[in-house]
Amino acid sequence: MKQVEMVNGHLRFPTLLSGDGEPVILLHGFPDTHENWAVQMKLIADAGYTCLAPALRGYAPSCQPGNGDYSLHAAVDDLLVFANQLGGRVHLIGHDWGAAVGYLACARYPETFCTFTALAIPPLKRLPQALLKVPEQIKLSGYMQFFQLPMAPEAWLKKDDFSGIDKLWQRWSPDWEPGLYLENAKHALREPGVLPAALGWYRHLIRLWRKEQRETQEWLGMNITVPTQVLIGEQDGCMSPRLLDHTVNHGDFPGGLRVERVSGAGHFLHLERPDTVADLLIAHLKRGECLA
């Protein structure tokens, strides 16, 4: 496993690199770190792929933009730049925020992606309507509104050595002891500027007056022609697995859609059930090998 950097303009994104073969980009979520992809990367690299896991925008001091732009539009731009640097055709795996970026990028730029797997996030196109049919998700998503407030979220998360991060992981992946994975995430969030940047992703969601925000809203309504796989832990305490009953529509995915519920796993399913999830990821990669 190597530590390298991906670059977009003046921003430098710490990145894990492993393997030799078709490129696979893995995007993490909140509150997490790119370094927690290491186990999955080894398993996927052993199957014949080159894996790159960059830090998301803001999750290291070197990739915090001076203009404070933590919009999904900017994150998609980062991803497109990375893909172009790797030859223009890549596989994509995203967890949490990384999955949200993936849905948008695959809808708008399908020619860039050979396959896409979303972890812990159901298809976004029909999610607003699904919330009306899965009312418990309103409560589960309450943290998103809280994170849009100024200052208070930082104080709550940092209190008593980031005990707020402990609580989120425990709530989202119950009956699991994250150990080093959680410590890795807290280490990343302690770096200068990282916690406000990570919360900036949430705070940008309500900036509907921005042209870029309106564009991403348009992308949400587009079909996805990239072969797509969605994996959800059956014990996910962040995104209710019941959302799948109302968000999965195969007509929205002309390139094909596979959905798997992973038993014995919560929101961090790729860390909780690494072998099971790796088998599903690798099978999907092999079904959609990139053409030269």
Side-chain angles (χ1 to χ4, degrees), residues 28-30 94-103 116-125 127 137 141 143-144 172 202 220 228-233 236 238-241 243-244 247-248 253 257 259 266-267 269:
H28 68 89
F30 174 90
H95 173 252
D96 192 79
W97 273 120
V101 173
Y103 279 118
F116 170 49
T117 297
L119 302 177
I121 303 296
L124 295 183
K125 182 177 181 179
L127 186 58
Q137 186 60 46
S141 297
Y143 73 94
M144 297 185 70
W172 293 354
Y202 295 92
L220 280 176
T228 298
Q229 177 175 237
V230 177
L231 307 180
I232 301 282
D236 194 319
C238 177
M239 299 296 292
S240 171
L243 290 169
L244 292 175
T247 56
V248 171
F253 294 85
L257 173 66
V259 179
H267 191 65
L269 63 164

mmCIF file of all heavy atoms in Angstrom, residues 28-30 94-103 116-125 127 137 141 143-144 172 202 220 228-233 236 238-241 243-244 247-248 253 257 259 266-267 269:
data_model
loop_
_atom_site.group_PDB
_atom_site.id
_atom_site.type_symbol
_atom_site.label_atom_id
_atom_site.label_comp_id
_atom_site.label_asym_id
_atom_site.label_seq_id
_atom_site.Cartn_x
_atom_site.Cartn_y
_atom_site.Cartn_z
ATOM 1 N N HIS A 28 -14.665 7.743 0.293
ATOM 2 C CA HIS A 28 -15.182 7.531 1.644
ATOM 3 C C HIS A 28 -16.302 8.506 1.952
ATOM 4 O O HIS A 28 -16.704 9.330 1.121
ATOM 5 C CB HIS A 28 -14.050 7.661 2.669
ATOM 6 C CG HIS A 28 -13.507 9.054 2.807
ATOM 7 N ND1 HIS A 28 -14.030 9.969 3.692
ATOM 8 C CD2 HIS A 28 -12.481 9.689 2.177
ATOM 9 C CE1 HIS A 28 -13.352 11.103 3.611
ATOM 10 N NE2 HIS A 28 -12.408 10.975 2.688
ATOM 11 N N GLY A 29 -16.820 8.443 3.176
ATOM 12 C CA GLY A 29 -17.892 9.327 3.603
ATOM 13 C C GLY A 29 -17.571 9.998 4.919
ATOM 14 O O GLY A 29 -16.409 10.161 5.292
ATOM 15 N N PHE A 30 -18.616 10.369 5.655
ATOM 16 C CA PHE A 30 -18.498 11.039 6.950
ATOM 17 C C PHE A 30 -19.089 10.147 8.036
ATOM 18 O O PHE A 30 -20.137 9.515 7.811
ATOM 19 C CB PHE A 30 -19.273 12.366 6.923
ATOM 20 C CG PHE A 30 -19.323 13.066 8.254
ATOM 21 C CD1 PHE A 30 -18.345 13.962 8.615
ATOM 22 C CD2 PHE A 30 -20.355 12.812 9.148
ATOM 23 C CE1 PHE A 30 -18.400 14.607 9.852
ATOM 24 C CE2 PHE A 30 -20.405 13.442 10.384
ATOM 25 C CZ PHE A 30 -19.419 14.338 10.729
ATOM 26 N N GLY A 94 -18.297 4.065 -3.921
ATOM 27 C CA GLY A 94 -18.461 5.160 -2.984
ATOM 28 C C GLY A 94 -19.298 4.765 -1.786
ATOM 29 O O GLY A 94 -20.296 4.064 -1.926
ATOM 30 N N HIS A 95 -18.880 5.225 -0.626
ATOM 31 C CA HIS A 95 -19.619 4.984 0.613
ATOM 32 C C HIS A 95 -20.106 6.315 1.175
ATOM 33 O O HIS A 95 -19.365 7.301 1.211
ATOM 34 C CB HIS A 95 -18.725 4.288 1.648
ATOM 35 C CG HIS A 95 -19.373 4.147 3.002
ATOM 36 N ND1 HIS A 95 -18.980 4.887 4.103
ATOM 37 C CD2 HIS A 95 -20.401 3.359 3.422
ATOM 38 C CE1 HIS A 95 -19.730 4.551 5.146
ATOM 39 N NE2 HIS A 95 -20.595 3.627 4.761
ATOM 40 N N ASP A 96 -21.382 6.376 1.594
ATOM 41 C CA ASP A 96 -21.925 7.557 2.248
ATOM 42 C C ASP A 96 -21.796 8.769 1.314
ATOM 43 O O ASP A 96 -22.322 8.727 0.200
ATOM 44 C CB ASP A 96 -21.206 7.746 3.603
ATOM 45 C CG ASP A 96 -21.865 8.769 4.500
ATOM 46 O OD1 ASP A 96 -22.878 8.435 5.128
ATOM 47 O OD2 ASP A 96 -21.363 9.906 4.569
ATOM 48 N N TRP A 97 -21.124 9.853 1.703
ATOM 49 C CA TRP A 97 -20.956 10.983 0.799
ATOM 50 C C TRP A 97 -20.312 10.554 -0.510
ATOM 51 O O TRP A 97 -20.637 11.096 -1.583
ATOM 52 C CB TRP A 97 -20.092 12.073 1.449
ATOM 53 C CG TRP A 97 -20.818 13.066 2.293
ATOM 54 C CD1 TRP A 97 -20.617 13.312 3.628
ATOM 55 C CD2 TRP A 97 -21.840 13.987 1.892
ATOM 56 N NE1 TRP A 97 -21.453 14.308 4.076
ATOM 57 C CE2 TRP A 97 -22.219 14.745 3.028
ATOM 58 C CE3 TRP A 97 -22.492 14.240 0.675
ATOM 59 C CZ2 TRP A 97 -23.202 15.736 2.986
ATOM 60 C CZ3 TRP A 97 -23.479 15.225 0.643
ATOM 61 C CH2 TRP A 97 -23.807 15.953 1.777
ATOM 62 N N GLY A 98 -19.380 9.617 -0.441
ATOM 63 C CA GLY A 98 -18.748 9.137 -1.659
ATOM 64 C C GLY A 98 -19.747 8.517 -2.614
ATOM 65 O O GLY A 98 -19.614 8.631 -3.845
ATOM 66 N N ALA A 99 -20.770 7.850 -2.067
ATOM 67 C CA ALA A 99 -21.828 7.280 -2.904
ATOM 68 C C ALA A 99 -22.672 8.384 -3.529
ATOM 69 O O ALA A 99 -23.055 8.306 -4.702
ATOM 70 C CB ALA A 99 -22.704 6.343 -2.085
ATOM 71 N N ALA A 100 -22.981 9.441 -2.753
ATOM 72 C CA ALA A 100 -23.761 10.560 -3.290
ATOM 73 C C ALA A 100 -23.025 11.214 -4.456
ATOM 74 O O ALA A 100 -23.626 11.516 -5.498
ATOM 75 C CB ALA A 100 -24.042 11.575 -2.188
ATOM 76 N N VAL A 101 -21.718 11.431 -4.291
ATOM 77 C CA VAL A 101 -20.912 11.973 -5.383
ATOM 78 C C VAL A 101 -20.982 11.047 -6.594
ATOM 79 O O VAL A 101 -21.114 11.490 -7.739
ATOM 80 C CB VAL A 101 -19.448 12.169 -4.930
ATOM 81 C CG1 VAL A 101 -18.560 12.577 -6.113
ATOM 82 C CG2 VAL A 101 -19.360 13.204 -3.821
ATOM 83 N N GLY A 102 -20.929 9.744 -6.324
ATOM 84 C CA GLY A 102 -20.959 8.772 -7.408
ATOM 85 C C GLY A 102 -22.255 8.793 -8.200
ATOM 86 O O GLY A 102 -22.244 8.735 -9.439
ATOM 87 N N TYR A 103 -23.387 8.855 -7.515
ATOM 88 C CA TYR A 103 -24.665 8.911 -8.225
ATOM 89 C C TYR A 103 -24.704 10.111 -9.173
ATOM 90 O O TYR A 103 -25.132 10.009 -10.327
ATOM 91 C CB TYR A 103 -25.824 9.029 -7.230
ATOM 92 C CG TYR A 103 -26.254 7.726 -6.589
ATOM 93 C CD1 TYR A 103 -26.152 7.548 -5.213
ATOM 94 C CD2 TYR A 103 -26.791 6.690 -7.350
ATOM 95 C CE1 TYR A 103 -26.566 6.372 -4.607
ATOM 96 C CE2 TYR A 103 -27.208 5.508 -6.751
ATOM 97 C CZ TYR A 103 -27.091 5.354 -5.382
ATOM 98 O OH TYR A 103 -27.507 4.179 -4.793
ATOM 99 N N PHE A 116 -20.262 1.268 -11.206
ATOM 100 C CA PHE A 116 -20.433 2.071 -9.991
ATOM 101 C C PHE A 116 -21.086 1.210 -8.930
ATOM 102 O O PHE A 116 -22.070 0.509 -9.199
ATOM 103 C CB PHE A 116 -21.311 3.294 -10.278
ATOM 104 C CG PHE A 116 -21.746 4.054 -9.058
ATOM 105 C CD1 PHE A 116 -20.841 4.429 -8.083
ATOM 106 C CD2 PHE A 116 -23.094 4.403 -8.885
ATOM 107 C CE1 PHE A 116 -21.243 5.136 -6.955
ATOM 108 C CE2 PHE A 116 -23.506 5.116 -7.771
ATOM 109 C CZ PHE A 116 -22.585 5.476 -6.800
ATOM 110 N N THR A 117 -20.531 1.253 -7.716
ATOM 111 C CA THR A 117 -21.165 0.619 -6.559
ATOM 112 C C THR A 117 -21.354 1.666 -5.468
ATOM 113 O O THR A 117 -20.405 2.354 -5.078
ATOM 114 C CB THR A 117 -20.334 -0.544 -6.003
ATOM 115 O OG1 THR A 117 -20.233 -1.577 -6.989
ATOM 116 C CG2 THR A 117 -20.996 -1.126 -4.755
ATOM 117 N N ALA A 118 -22.590 1.788 -4.995
ATOM 118 C CA ALA A 118 -22.928 2.700 -3.897
ATOM 119 C C ALA A 118 -23.109 1.884 -2.630
ATOM 120 O O ALA A 118 -23.889 0.929 -2.603
ATOM 121 C CB ALA A 118 -24.207 3.467 -4.212
ATOM 122 N N LEU A 119 -22.402 2.264 -1.585
ATOM 123 C CA LEU A 119 -22.500 1.599 -0.292
ATOM 124 C C LEU A 119 -23.266 2.488 0.685
ATOM 125 O O LEU A 119 -22.910 3.654 0.887
ATOM 126 C CB LEU A 119 -21.114 1.301 0.282
ATOM 127 C CG LEU A 119 -20.166 0.436 -0.557
ATOM 128 C CD1 LEU A 119 -18.823 0.310 0.141
ATOM 129 C CD2 LEU A 119 -20.757 -0.927 -0.812
ATOM 130 N N ALA A 120 -24.326 1.940 1.276
ATOM 131 C CA ALA A 120 -25.078 2.551 2.382
ATOM 132 C C ALA A 120 -26.002 3.687 1.955
ATOM 133 O O ALA A 120 -26.693 4.256 2.815
ATOM 134 C CB ALA A 120 -24.134 3.053 3.480
ATOM 135 N N ILE A 121 -26.054 4.014 0.688
ATOM 136 C CA ILE A 121 -26.935 5.086 0.210
ATOM 137 C C ILE A 121 -27.816 4.526 -0.909
ATOM 138 O O ILE A 121 -27.298 4.076 -1.939
ATOM 139 C CB ILE A 121 -26.138 6.299 -0.314
ATOM 140 C CG1 ILE A 121 -25.213 6.838 0.777
ATOM 141 C CG2 ILE A 121 -27.089 7.385 -0.805
ATOM 142 C CD1 ILE A 121 -25.910 7.401 1.997
ATOM 143 N N PRO A 122 -29.132 4.554 -0.745
ATOM 144 C CA PRO A 122 -30.024 4.054 -1.794
ATOM 145 C C PRO A 122 -30.035 5.002 -2.986
ATOM 146 O O PRO A 122 -29.524 6.126 -2.892
ATOM 147 C CB PRO A 122 -31.387 4.015 -1.101
ATOM 148 C CG PRO A 122 -31.298 5.092 -0.072
ATOM 149 C CD PRO A 122 -29.870 5.092 0.405
ATOM 150 N N PRO A 123 -30.609 4.595 -4.111
ATOM 151 C CA PRO A 123 -30.679 5.496 -5.268
ATOM 152 C C PRO A 123 -31.301 6.842 -4.886
ATOM 153 O O PRO A 123 -32.320 6.911 -4.206
ATOM 154 C CB PRO A 123 -31.570 4.719 -6.249
ATOM 155 C CG PRO A 123 -31.288 3.282 -5.922
ATOM 156 C CD PRO A 123 -31.131 3.257 -4.432
ATOM 157 N N LEU A 124 -30.660 7.911 -5.348
ATOM 158 C CA LEU A 124 -31.050 9.248 -4.909
ATOM 159 C C LEU A 124 -32.239 9.813 -5.668
ATOM 160 O O LEU A 124 -32.954 10.670 -5.135
ATOM 161 C CB LEU A 124 -29.865 10.214 -5.068
ATOM 162 C CG LEU A 124 -28.632 9.958 -4.207
ATOM 163 C CD1 LEU A 124 -27.594 11.042 -4.448
ATOM 164 C CD2 LEU A 124 -28.986 9.890 -2.730
ATOM 165 N N LYS A 125 -32.468 9.371 -6.888
ATOM 166 C CA LYS A 125 -33.473 10.018 -7.727
ATOM 167 C C LYS A 125 -34.840 10.047 -7.064
ATOM 168 O O LYS A 125 -35.558 11.051 -7.122
ATOM 169 C CB LYS A 125 -33.549 9.293 -9.079
ATOM 170 C CG LYS A 125 -34.524 9.910 -10.062
ATOM 171 C CD LYS A 125 -34.483 9.185 -11.402
ATOM 172 C CE LYS A 125 -35.440 9.795 -12.396
ATOM 173 N NZ LYS A 125 -35.398 9.115 -13.717
ATOM 174 N N LEU A 127 -35.386 9.416 -3.747
ATOM 175 C CA LEU A 127 -35.260 9.512 -2.299
ATOM 176 C C LEU A 127 -36.209 10.542 -1.680
ATOM 177 O O LEU A 127 -36.806 10.263 -0.628
ATOM 178 C CB LEU A 127 -33.813 9.815 -1.914
ATOM 179 C CG LEU A 127 -33.492 9.815 -0.423
ATOM 180 C CD1 LEU A 127 -33.839 8.468 0.214
ATOM 181 C CD2 LEU A 127 -32.009 10.130 -0.204
ATOM 182 N N GLN A 137 -37.005 7.682 8.690
ATOM 183 C CA GLN A 137 -35.789 8.263 8.123
ATOM 184 C C GLN A 137 -35.670 9.748 8.456
ATOM 185 O O GLN A 137 -34.556 10.271 8.554
ATOM 186 C CB GLN A 137 -35.741 8.049 6.609
ATOM 187 C CG GLN A 137 -34.438 8.506 5.971
ATOM 188 C CD GLN A 137 -33.228 7.774 6.539
ATOM 189 O OE1 GLN A 137 -33.243 6.550 6.685
ATOM 190 N NE2 GLN A 137 -32.185 8.504 6.881
ATOM 191 N N SER A 141 -32.264 11.123 9.911
ATOM 192 C CA SER A 141 -31.525 12.162 9.185
ATOM 193 C C SER A 141 -31.482 13.491 9.930
ATOM 194 O O SER A 141 -30.983 14.476 9.386
ATOM 195 C CB SER A 141 -32.154 12.379 7.807
ATOM 196 O OG SER A 141 -32.076 11.219 7.014
ATOM 197 N N TYR A 143 -29.581 14.573 12.120
ATOM 198 C CA TYR A 143 -28.225 15.100 12.281
ATOM 199 C C TYR A 143 -27.850 16.014 11.118
ATOM 200 O O TYR A 143 -27.037 16.946 11.286
ATOM 201 C CB TYR A 143 -27.220 13.942 12.389
ATOM 202 C CG TYR A 143 -26.968 13.220 11.089
ATOM 203 C CD1 TYR A 143 -25.904 13.573 10.267
ATOM 204 C CD2 TYR A 143 -27.811 12.198 10.667
ATOM 205 C CE1 TYR A 143 -25.683 12.929 9.072
ATOM 206 C CE2 TYR A 143 -27.600 11.550 9.476
ATOM 207 C CZ TYR A 143 -26.533 11.920 8.676
ATOM 208 O OH TYR A 143 -26.323 11.276 7.479
ATOM 209 N N MET A 144 -28.426 15.780 9.931
ATOM 210 C CA MET A 144 -28.064 16.586 8.761
ATOM 211 C C MET A 144 -28.502 18.033 8.938
ATOM 212 O O MET A 144 -27.773 18.961 8.584
ATOM 213 C CB MET A 144 -28.669 15.987 7.491
ATOM 214 C CG MET A 144 -28.146 14.601 7.176
ATOM 215 S SD MET A 144 -28.751 13.934 5.608
ATOM 216 C CE MET A 144 -27.873 14.974 4.436
ATOM 217 N N TRP A 172 -24.968 4.274 14.041
ATOM 218 C CA TRP A 172 -25.107 3.891 12.636
ATOM 219 C C TRP A 172 -24.727 2.441 12.378
ATOM 220 O O TRP A 172 -25.239 1.829 11.435
ATOM 221 C CB TRP A 172 -24.269 4.816 11.766
ATOM 222 C CG TRP A 172 -24.770 6.230 11.742
ATOM 223 C CD1 TRP A 172 -25.923 6.711 12.309
ATOM 224 C CD2 TRP A 172 -24.140 7.353 11.124
ATOM 225 N NE1 TRP A 172 -26.053 8.051 12.085
ATOM 226 C CE2 TRP A 172 -24.972 8.485 11.354
ATOM 227 C CE3 TRP A 172 -22.968 7.525 10.406
ATOM 228 C CZ2 TRP A 172 -24.656 9.751 10.870
ATOM 229 C CZ3 TRP A 172 -22.650 8.793 9.920
ATOM 230 C CH2 TRP A 172 -23.483 9.894 10.152
ATOM 231 N N TYR A 202 -22.342 19.413 4.468
ATOM 232 C CA TYR A 202 -23.757 19.513 4.856
ATOM 233 C C TYR A 202 -24.269 20.937 4.684
ATOM 234 O O TYR A 202 -25.406 21.156 4.240
ATOM 235 C CB TYR A 202 -23.942 19.064 6.305
ATOM 236 C CG TYR A 202 -23.628 17.607 6.520
ATOM 237 C CD1 TYR A 202 -22.343 17.202 6.888
ATOM 238 C CD2 TYR A 202 -24.597 16.632 6.343
ATOM 239 C CE1 TYR A 202 -22.043 15.862 7.080
ATOM 240 C CE2 TYR A 202 -24.298 15.284 6.528
ATOM 241 C CZ TYR A 202 -23.020 14.914 6.889
ATOM 242 O OH TYR A 202 -22.721 13.580 7.068
ATOM 243 N N LEU A 220 -29.704 14.954 -10.399
ATOM 244 C CA LEU A 220 -30.431 13.960 -9.593
ATOM 245 C C LEU A 220 -31.602 13.354 -10.352
ATOM 246 O O LEU A 220 -31.974 12.205 -10.112
ATOM 247 C CB LEU A 220 -30.940 14.611 -8.306
ATOM 248 C CG LEU A 220 -29.952 14.795 -7.163
ATOM 249 C CD1 LEU A 220 -30.606 15.547 -6.027
ATOM 250 C CD2 LEU A 220 -29.422 13.452 -6.681
ATOM 251 N N THR A 228 -24.752 -0.405 -12.285
ATOM 252 C CA THR A 228 -24.738 0.058 -10.895
ATOM 253 C C THR A 228 -25.117 -1.058 -9.934
ATOM 254 O O THR A 228 -25.966 -1.893 -10.229
ATOM 255 C CB THR A 228 -25.713 1.238 -10.723
ATOM 256 O OG1 THR A 228 -25.288 2.335 -11.546
ATOM 257 C CG2 THR A 228 -25.783 1.704 -9.271
ATOM 258 N N GLN A 229 -24.460 -1.035 -8.787
ATOM 259 C CA GLN A 229 -24.762 -1.956 -7.694
ATOM 260 C C GLN A 229 -24.964 -1.134 -6.423
ATOM 261 O O GLN A 229 -24.213 -0.203 -6.148
ATOM 262 C CB GLN A 229 -23.615 -2.948 -7.494
ATOM 263 C CG GLN A 229 -23.792 -3.906 -6.331
ATOM 264 C CD GLN A 229 -22.684 -4.946 -6.253
ATOM 265 O OE1 GLN A 229 -22.929 -6.152 -6.271
ATOM 266 N NE2 GLN A 229 -21.449 -4.503 -6.178
ATOM 267 N N VAL A 230 -25.984 -1.482 -5.648
ATOM 268 C CA VAL A 230 -26.260 -0.803 -4.383
ATOM 269 C C VAL A 230 -26.195 -1.835 -3.263
ATOM 270 O O VAL A 230 -26.889 -2.859 -3.313
ATOM 271 C CB VAL A 230 -27.640 -0.120 -4.398
ATOM 272 C CG1 VAL A 230 -27.933 0.525 -3.055
ATOM 273 C CG2 VAL A 230 -27.722 0.917 -5.516
ATOM 274 N N LEU A 231 -25.373 -1.566 -2.251
ATOM 275 C CA LEU A 231 -25.217 -2.453 -1.097
ATOM 276 C C LEU A 231 -25.626 -1.707 0.167
ATOM 277 O O LEU A 231 -25.128 -0.612 0.438
ATOM 278 C CB LEU A 231 -23.767 -2.927 -0.965
ATOM 279 C CG LEU A 231 -23.122 -3.561 -2.200
ATOM 280 C CD1 LEU A 231 -21.679 -3.975 -1.887
ATOM 281 C CD2 LEU A 231 -23.917 -4.759 -2.688
ATOM 282 N N ILE A 232 -26.530 -2.306 0.931
ATOM 283 C CA ILE A 232 -27.030 -1.691 2.161
ATOM 284 C C ILE A 232 -26.950 -2.705 3.302
ATOM 285 O O ILE A 232 -27.369 -3.857 3.140
ATOM 286 C CB ILE A 232 -28.501 -1.239 2.005
ATOM 287 C CG1 ILE A 232 -28.646 -0.241 0.863
ATOM 288 C CG2 ILE A 232 -29.037 -0.675 3.313
ATOM 289 C CD1 ILE A 232 -28.218 1.145 1.179
ATOM 290 N N GLY A 233 -26.422 -2.294 4.444
ATOM 291 C CA GLY A 233 -26.416 -3.158 5.619
ATOM 292 C C GLY A 233 -27.808 -3.263 6.213
ATOM 293 O O GLY A 233 -28.504 -2.255 6.366
ATOM 294 N N ASP A 236 -28.411 -0.927 9.232
ATOM 295 C CA ASP A 236 -27.951 0.450 9.069
ATOM 296 C C ASP A 236 -28.807 1.388 9.923
ATOM 297 O O ASP A 236 -30.023 1.452 9.754
ATOM 298 C CB ASP A 236 -28.035 0.855 7.594
ATOM 299 C CG ASP A 236 -27.264 2.129 7.285
ATOM 300 O OD1 ASP A 236 -27.320 3.077 8.088
ATOM 301 O OD2 ASP A 236 -26.588 2.170 6.230
ATOM 302 N N CYS A 238 -28.266 4.688 9.992
ATOM 303 C CA CYS A 238 -28.198 6.020 9.397
ATOM 304 C C CYS A 238 -29.184 6.155 8.243
ATOM 305 O O CYS A 238 -29.938 7.127 8.170
ATOM 306 C CB CYS A 238 -26.775 6.296 8.909
ATOM 307 S SG CYS A 238 -26.565 7.881 8.062
ATOM 308 N N MET A 239 -29.174 5.185 7.336
ATOM 309 C CA MET A 239 -30.093 5.152 6.197
ATOM 310 C C MET A 239 -30.928 3.880 6.295
ATOM 311 O O MET A 239 -30.405 2.769 6.169
ATOM 312 C CB MET A 239 -29.335 5.179 4.876
ATOM 313 C CG MET A 239 -28.479 6.418 4.676
ATOM 314 S SD MET A 239 -29.439 7.964 4.588
ATOM 315 C CE MET A 239 -30.311 7.760 3.043
ATOM 316 N N SER A 240 -32.212 4.027 6.537
ATOM 317 C CA SER A 240 -33.078 2.865 6.742
ATOM 318 C C SER A 240 -33.070 1.951 5.526
ATOM 319 O O SER A 240 -33.290 2.410 4.397
ATOM 320 C CB SER A 240 -34.507 3.324 7.011
ATOM 321 O OG SER A 240 -35.387 2.217 6.994
ATOM 322 N N PRO A 241 -32.819 0.657 5.718
ATOM 323 C CA PRO A 241 -32.900 -0.274 4.592
ATOM 324 C C PRO A 241 -34.270 -0.277 3.919
ATOM 325 O O PRO A 241 -34.387 -0.652 2.748
ATOM 326 C CB PRO A 241 -32.594 -1.631 5.240
ATOM 327 C CG PRO A 241 -31.795 -1.298 6.465
ATOM 328 C CD PRO A 241 -32.353 0.008 6.950
ATOM 329 N N LEU A 243 -35.784 2.140 2.822
ATOM 330 C CA LEU A 243 -35.775 3.090 1.715
ATOM 331 C C LEU A 243 -35.636 2.391 0.368
ATOM 332 O O LEU A 243 -36.113 2.903 -0.654
ATOM 333 C CB LEU A 243 -34.635 4.098 1.898
ATOM 334 C CG LEU A 243 -34.789 5.109 3.036
ATOM 335 C CD1 LEU A 243 -33.493 5.847 3.263
ATOM 336 C CD2 LEU A 243 -35.917 6.098 2.740
ATOM 337 N N LEU A 244 -35.003 1.233 0.378
ATOM 338 C CA LEU A 244 -34.835 0.495 -0.880
ATOM 339 C C LEU A 244 -36.185 0.125 -1.491
ATOM 340 O O LEU A 244 -36.317 0.048 -2.723
ATOM 341 C CB LEU A 244 -34.010 -0.773 -0.652
ATOM 342 C CG LEU A 244 -32.530 -0.576 -0.301
ATOM 343 C CD1 LEU A 244 -31.886 -1.916 0.021
ATOM 344 C CD2 LEU A 244 -31.795 0.112 -1.445
ATOM 345 N N THR A 247 -37.087 3.401 -3.426
ATOM 346 C CA THR A 247 -36.117 4.128 -4.264
ATOM 347 C C THR A 247 -35.604 3.300 -5.427
ATOM 348 O O THR A 247 -35.052 3.857 -6.377
ATOM 349 C CB THR A 247 -34.900 4.590 -3.438
ATOM 350 O OG1 THR A 247 -34.293 3.459 -2.793
ATOM 351 C CG2 THR A 247 -35.317 5.615 -2.377
ATOM 352 N N VAL A 248 -35.744 1.992 -5.353
ATOM 353 C CA VAL A 248 -35.221 1.124 -6.417
ATOM 354 C C VAL A 248 -36.236 1.041 -7.549
ATOM 355 O O VAL A 248 -37.353 0.549 -7.372
ATOM 356 C CB VAL A 248 -34.903 -0.283 -5.870
ATOM 357 C CG1 VAL A 248 -34.568 -1.235 -7.020
ATOM 358 C CG2 VAL A 248 -33.744 -0.211 -4.874
ATOM 359 N N PHE A 253 -32.167 2.900 -14.265
ATOM 360 C CA PHE A 253 -30.796 2.417 -14.478
ATOM 361 C C PHE A 253 -30.758 1.555 -15.743
ATOM 362 O O PHE A 253 -30.686 0.322 -15.667
ATOM 363 C CB PHE A 253 -30.319 1.614 -13.268
ATOM 364 C CG PHE A 253 -30.164 2.430 -12.012
ATOM 365 C CD1 PHE A 253 -31.252 2.661 -11.173
ATOM 366 C CD2 PHE A 253 -28.942 2.991 -11.680
ATOM 367 C CE1 PHE A 253 -31.119 3.420 -10.021
ATOM 368 C CE2 PHE A 253 -28.796 3.755 -10.519
ATOM 369 C CZ PHE A 253 -29.896 3.972 -9.694
ATOM 370 N N LEU A 257 -29.041 -2.626 -12.807
ATOM 371 C CA LEU A 257 -28.989 -2.319 -11.371
ATOM 372 C C LEU A 257 -29.089 -3.610 -10.578
ATOM 373 O O LEU A 257 -29.977 -4.429 -10.808
ATOM 374 C CB LEU A 257 -30.141 -1.390 -10.981
ATOM 375 C CG LEU A 257 -30.320 -1.110 -9.483
ATOM 376 C CD1 LEU A 257 -29.125 -0.332 -8.937
ATOM 377 C CD2 LEU A 257 -31.616 -0.355 -9.220
ATOM 378 N N VAL A 259 -29.077 -4.922 -6.438
ATOM 379 C CA VAL A 259 -29.255 -4.457 -5.061
ATOM 380 C C VAL A 259 -29.042 -5.627 -4.121
ATOM 381 O O VAL A 259 -29.606 -6.706 -4.322
ATOM 382 C CB VAL A 259 -30.657 -3.854 -4.850
ATOM 383 C CG1 VAL A 259 -30.835 -3.398 -3.405
ATOM 384 C CG2 VAL A 259 -30.894 -2.697 -5.813
ATOM 385 N N GLY A 266 -24.126 -2.810 9.529
ATOM 386 C CA GLY A 266 -24.797 -1.531 9.608
ATOM 387 C C GLY A 266 -24.304 -0.596 8.527
ATOM 388 O O GLY A 266 -24.033 -1.012 7.396
ATOM 389 N N HIS A 267 -24.136 0.668 8.883
ATOM 390 C CA HIS A 267 -23.794 1.696 7.902
ATOM 391 C C HIS A 267 -22.386 1.504 7.339
ATOM 392 O O HIS A 267 -22.146 1.784 6.161
ATOM 393 C CB HIS A 267 -23.909 3.070 8.565
ATOM 394 C CG HIS A 267 -23.829 4.218 7.611
ATOM 395 N ND1 HIS A 267 -24.774 4.457 6.642
ATOM 396 C CD2 HIS A 267 -22.894 5.211 7.472
ATOM 397 C CE1 HIS A 267 -24.454 5.538 5.951
ATOM 398 N NE2 HIS A 267 -23.322 6.014 6.438
ATOM 399 N N LEU A 269 -20.732 -1.062 6.391
ATOM 400 C CA LEU A 269 -20.786 -2.475 6.024
ATOM 401 C C LEU A 269 -19.481 -2.990 5.440
ATOM 402 O O LEU A 269 -19.124 -4.157 5.632
ATOM 403 C CB LEU A 269 -21.930 -2.732 5.057
ATOM 404 C CG LEU A 269 -21.909 -2.049 3.687
ATOM 405 C CD1 LEU A 269 -22.905 -2.752 2.750
ATOM 406 C CD2 LEU A 269 -22.277 -0.585 3.751
#
